[in-house]
Amino acid sequence: NAGVMQNPRHLVRRRGQEARLRCSPMKGHSHVYWYRQLPEEGLKFMVYLQKENIIDESGMPKERFSAEFPKEGPSILRIQQVVRGDSAAYFCASSLGRTRSYEQYFGPGTRLTVT
Amino acid sequence: DAKTTQPPSMDCAEGRAANLPCNHSTISGNEYVYWYRQIHSQGPQYIIHGLKNNETNEMASLIITEDRKSSTLILPHATLRDTAVYYCIAGTNQAGTALIFGKGTTLSVSS
């Protein structure tokens, strides 16, 4: 029973490049969340998506960041023109949704390093 | 969502029970208490949740006071692998509820 999968696990980008982070939710889960953990800080919610819809992006920076969860394939978090401050661990979580949204299953994370 | 307060750190001897407290004095009637932990730099792991009754699963027990203003997570026989940051979160169970992580409690289990 595969859990939440994220790739790549480690990503190094130079300033100005684009970073694409992928997340495959657990089988049967249609709700995906992205969180970011900056060095020495707690996890912060970024965005909540269902298939083909962004439901809540209140935690997303207004510029350079976007997310999608297409009908087919993984959810993608895209960061354009990365800066050093984007260096962090990005975690994806999935849930069954509806009445069990508090039970979120997290992936291993993608560690983004911007040089 | 209600704010929670946890001690920054706790120590526990291996094999003993670890009791992690959490205050959530402003919790509203429809908000659950749920616990997650993060081992080293891994993704957080769901542990348990409750509304007003005490709960137990294979990982832990959750004791919620009658007035629901505080709760305690109990790991009955802590092992070295339980060393982690433990987060107490209060919120609804509506679809799309974003988890609001505080600083949590760093539990150190030693032999």
Side-chain angles (χ1 to χ4, degrees):
Chain A
N1 188 12
V4 177
M5 298 170 64
Q6 290 187 251
N7 63 79
R9 296 288 304 275
H10 299 273
L11 182 61
V12 179
R13 284 288 179 264
R14 291 187 180 148
R15 280 179 296 171
Q17 291 185 319
E18 178 180 286
R20 290 170 69 89
L21 288 62
R22 288 177 290 277
C23 168
S24 296
M26 285 184 68
K27 188 175 181 180
H29 287 192
S30 59
H31 296 238
V32 166
Y33 310 76
W34 285 93
Y35 294 83
R36 177 168 69 172
Q37 188 168 33
L38 294 167
E40 307 305 321
E41 292 190 18
L43 291 118
K44 303 292 184 188
F45 165 76
M46 299 181 75
V47 62
Y48 160 56
L49 311 99
Q50 296 179 26
K51 283 284 186 181
E52 299 185 277
N53 287 303
I54 297 174
I55 308 300
D56 180 0
E57 55 183 346
S58 59
M60 286 270 274
K62 292 291 184 284
E63 297 177 351
R64 302 187 297 107
F65 285 72
S66 63
E68 63 178 15
F69 189 16
K71 187 176 180 181
E72 302 290 338
S75 174
I76 306 287
L77 179 69
R78 187 165 75 158
I79 311 172
Q80 295 178 297
Q81 299 176 318
V82 296
V83 301
R84 288 219 173 103
D86 298 331
S87 294
Y90 292 82
F91 292 97
C92 164
S94 72
S95 73
L96 280 169
R98 291 216 171 261
T99 58
R100 297 182 66 178
S101 63
Y102 48 75
E103 194 172 333
Q104 297 180 16
Y105 293 86
F106 283 77
T110 294
R111 271 80 181 163
L112 173 66
T113 301
V114 179
T115 61
Chain B
D1 289 347
K3 178 180 170 59
T4 61
T5 305
Q6 300 177 251
S9 63
M10 294 184 65
D11 295 319
C12 180
E14 190 177 22
R16 304 297 294 268
N19 299 291
L20 292 89
C22 178
N23 286 319
H24 32 79
S25 58
T26 60
I27 196 169
S28 60
N30 66 341
E31 287 183 317
Y32 287 72
V33 178
Y34 25 104
W35 286 80
Y36 281 75
R37 72 180 182 183
Q38 186 174 25
I39 297 174
H40 194 41
S41 298
Q42 299 177 21
Q45 178 187 23
Y46 164 80
I47 300 173
I48 198 168
H49 75 279
L51 184 61
K52 49 186 176 182
N53 298 322
N54 297 338
E55 302 288 345
T56 295
N57 63 19
E58 65 278 3
M59 289 184 66
S61 295
L62 176 59
I63 309 297
I64 302 175
T65 58
E66 195 167 338
D67 63 8
R68 303 212 323 124
K69 292 185 177 181
S70 65
S71 60
T72 301
L73 178 74
I74 301 172
L75 308 178
H77 305 286
T79 70
L80 298 178
R81 287 179 293 180
D82 292 321
T83 293
V85 180
Y86 287 76
Y87 298 98
C88 170
I89 301 170
T92 68
N93 70 336
Q94 294 174 356
T97 296
L99 298 173
I100 300 174
F101 291 87
K103 296 187 185 301
T105 295
T106 298
L107 175 67
S108 299
V109 181
S110 57
S111 57

